Amino acid sequence: MSRLASGVVLVTAQEPPLDPDDPGAPSGEDVGMTATAFMSVSLDPPLALVSLRNGSRMDELLEEQELWAVSVLSESQRHIAGRFAMKGRVSDRLLFADIPYTRGEYTGAPLVGGALAVLECRTEQRVPAGDHTLVIGRVLTARVPSAEGGPLTYFRGRYRQLS
């Protein structure tokens, strides 16, 4: 499968507050994950799919809460893809520190500035598939904030540019 080129996205979500009944409790942390297994499923209704490794932080979070977002990364955002692809990290707080982003209107999740497209989704279905879970989400919003540059792609184990 390394011979199949794919686009690179950043999947993001916001953990729920530690104590939703206490307005003074700390809010949940932003979580992000680089993904290359992301695709459009349907136009009517608008559905998208991401494949998550079982037991990953994002898999566990999206099992708990249903709102998430996707930023389609541009060729100039390779550093973001690499940063969020690291395994075994404890916290994502520092990973978001110097990345420009806005918060999604529906999800509250980070939407990366300079991305080629951004989507907000609500999980409709989770499908077990071997050592992964396919998460199918209804697209709540989709925008094309930037038309600059080409897409970041992944091919033969490396990030690449179309050119």
Side-chain angles (χ1 to χ4, degrees):
M1 296 307 294
S2 70
R3 300 294 176 134
L4 177 64
S6 56
V8 183
V9 302
L10 183 67
V11 180
T12 57
Q14 189 177 48
E15 287 181 326
L18 296 177
D19 184 356
D21 298 326
D22 178 3
S27 61
E29 188 171 275
D30 292 325
V31 177
M33 179 199 88
T34 301
T36 57
F38 175 77
M39 62 181 276
S40 170
V41 174
S42 167
L43 293 176
D44 188 18
L47 300 173
L49 175 149
V50 65
S51 179
L52 305 175
R53 184 177 39 81
N54 292 341
S56 68
R57 185 166 183 204
M58 189 63 73
D59 178 47
E60 291 173 357
L61 176 56
L62 295 189
E63 189 171 27
E64 180 182 327
Q65 71 107 345
E66 61 183 14
L67 297 172
W68 45 285
V70 174
S71 298
V72 178
L73 299 180
S74 72
E75 59 196 3
S76 66
Q77 295 176 314
R78 181 185 302 213
H79 65 289
I80 295 173
R83 180 182 296 186
F84 286 91
M86 292 185 302
K87 291 179 176 39
R89 61 188 190 270
V90 176
S91 170
D92 287 4
R93 187 178 320 267
L94 294 176
L95 300 181
F96 283 103
D98 63 346
I99 295 173
Y101 65 85
T102 58
R103 292 216 173 265
E105 177 184 353
Y106 294 98
T107 63
L111 301 170
V112 176
L116 296 178
V118 293
L119 300 89
E120 292 185 90
C121 300
R122 182 186 66 240
T123 299
E124 294 269 312
Q125 188 176 3
R126 291 175 55 88
V127 180
D131 60 358
H132 280 65
T133 299
L134 307 178
V135 179
I136 301 169
R138 180 176 297 259
V139 178
L140 304 173
T141 63
R143 292 185 295 114
V144 181
S146 173
E148 298 299 316
L152 181 61
T153 59
Y154 194 74
F155 179 68
R156 295 181 70 185
R158 294 181 44 202
Y159 297 114
R160 302 183 188 260
Q161 297 176 220
L162 288 182
S163 56

